[in-house]
Amino acid sequence: MVDRLKPAWVEFGKHVRRLRTQGNLSLDRLSRMTSYSATYHSKIERAVRVPNVGIVEALDREFGTNGALLRMWRDVERSENGKVWYYDPDEYVREGTEMRYFHPFVLPGFLQVEEYARVIASHASTTLDREHVQRVVSGRTEWRERLRENTELVVSVVIPEFVLTRLVGGAEVMRGQLERLAAEAREEAVTVQVLPSGIRDFAWTAGAFWLVYFSDQSPLVVSEHSSGEHVTDEESVVRRLEATYSRLQVWALSPDASLQRIEEVREEL
């Protein structure tokens, strides 16, 4: 019987082979370490056999990958079964355990009041009709409610100070928006930090992005752009933006000082 290639598992097989060769391990030696046959290991590396969870757990242990290989296996399994879950925002909102969000120019969509969201959506494109704008506004309101439904999720956001002082929709709209933001900052599962004006660090030039973490999958990066979003779990991208977010947090005010600044700006309007 001819072994047929499993396309979804090609990259996984290459990764396993790379880990084995880096450890100077033969297939026979790996077989003795894991109690799975050398033939089975060979088929996994050639992507002609789908690995079961037992062998992946054994490989993860012997390679010392601390759960990373197991997470990769779960991601491929989901993809092969037609569950490319990270293309569905509802899915990662439900399954996420932590979300870190940064936007250099506006407040996060899930923290926007309706009036603020309507102004932002209306100015995003002059061709949008009222019905489309209302869908955007409703979507942002519903986004916050979905986040609340996930009681395991903790959220942190970094907000540039000038975003607080820009009169989006006028002083009245901004007073309501900042009141809402202050209330969110007091929530136990939400951390809000304000990035002061005039700092010398330029991490904010990375643009708008958010990082989403899970208990049993690789983290995701959602990068926002003018025509939508780009979602990836590529490790190098995740690490780069994790470093960027850490820099933003270091330069930002503490949560208590940030709340005080939000309230000061609201009082000044």
Side-chain angles (χ1 to χ4, degrees), residues 215-227:
S215 60
D216 60 352
Q217 288 108 15
S218 302
L220 294 179
V221 167
V222 184
S223 301
E224 296 188 13
H225 51 84
S226 59
S227 58

Side-chain angles (χ1 to χ4, degrees), residues 196-212:
S197 300
I199 64 166
R200 297 170 60 186
D201 187 85
F202 288 91
W204 64 271
T205 59
F209 67 91
W210 32 305
L211 293 149
V212 190

Side-chain angles (χ1 to χ4, degrees), residues 21-212:
T21 55
Q22 286 174 352
N24 294 317
L25 298 171
S26 67
L27 288 170
D28 287 335
R29 172 61 177 160
L30 192 58
S31 173
R32 291 192 293 272
M33 293 167 66
T34 62
S35 300
Y36 288 88
S37 72
T39 300
Y40 191 4
H41 283 291
S42 174
K43 288 185 176 183
I44 289 172
E45 291 184 5
R46 291 184 287 118
V48 296
R49 176 78 180 270
V50 175
N52 63 37
V53 66
I55 194 171
V56 177
E57 288 175 340
L59 289 170
D60 187 72
R61 181 182 65 252
E62 299 301 335
F63 291 148
T65 49
N66 299 315
L69 187 64
L70 189 59
R71 289 193 295 272
M72 184 179 183
W73 172 80
R74 285 177 175 147
D75 289 347
V76 177
E77 185 185 46
R78 282 173 176 263
S79 177
E80 187 183 39
N81 291 332
K83 299 178 180 178
V84 188
W85 64 278
Y86 57 72
Y87 289 118
D88 179 2
D90 283 346
E91 191 74 13
Y92 52 73
V93 164
R94 283 194 297 268
E95 297 195 12
T97 57
E98 181 182 0
M99 187 169 74
R100 306 173 187 175
Y101 190 103
F102 175 73
H103 197 299
F105 303 121
V106 297
L107 292 170
F110 54 88
L111 297 183
Q112 295 176 7
V113 296
E114 286 193 18
E115 295 82 359
Y116 184 101
R118 184 169 288 105
V119 173
I120 296 296
S122 299
H123 286 78
S125 173
T126 57
T127 62
L128 296 182
D129 56 32
R130 290 184 179 180
E131 184 178 348
H132 184 93
V133 169
Q134 185 55 47
R135 285 200 300 270
V136 173
V137 172
S138 299
R140 293 179 182 180
T141 302
E142 292 166 5
W143 187 10
R144 183 63 183 115
E145 293 309 310
R146 292 198 300 273
L147 291 176
R148 291 186 189 280
E149 291 170 3
N150 182 351
T151 58
E152 302 298 318
L153 183 67
V154 294
V155 178
S156 68
V157 298
V158 175
I159 302 169
E161 185 174 14
F162 72 83
V163 171
L164 306 180
T165 58
R166 293 176 65 187
L167 295 181
V168 175
E172 190 63 31
V173 170
M174 283 305 298
R175 274 194 290 269
Q177 176 61 79
L178 293 175
E179 184 175 347
R180 159 74 182 280
L181 184 60
E184 292 282 358
R186 296 188 187 95
E187 293 273 348
E188 185 176 351
V190 179
T191 299
V192 175
Q193 289 182 264
V194 174
L195 190 67
S197 300
I199 64 166
R200 297 170 60 186
D201 187 85
F202 288 91
W204 64 271
T205 59
F209 67 91
W210 32 305
L211 293 149
V212 190

Side-chain angles (χ1 to χ4, degrees), residues 189-261:
V190 179
T191 299
V192 175
Q193 289 182 264
V194 174
L195 190 67
S197 300
I199 64 166
R200 297 170 60 186
D201 187 85
F202 288 91
W204 64 271
T205 59
F209 67 91
W210 32 305
L211 293 149
V212 190
Y213 296 84
F214 308 88
S215 60
D216 60 352
Q217 288 108 15
S218 302
L220 294 179
V221 167
V222 184
S223 301
E224 296 188 13
H225 51 84
S226 59
S227 58
E229 299 173 344
H230 174 69
V231 184
T232 181
D233 61 354
E234 186 177 341
E235 187 176 2
S236 62
V237 178
V238 171
R239 287 184 176 179
R240 177 172 59 82
L241 289 177
E242 281 180 328
T244 298
Y245 196 84
S246 294
R247 287 171 60 191
L248 291 166
Q249 287 185 304
V250 167
W251 285 95
L253 301 176
S254 70
D256 286 344
S258 296
L259 176 57
Q260 181 179 346
R261 183 60 186 139

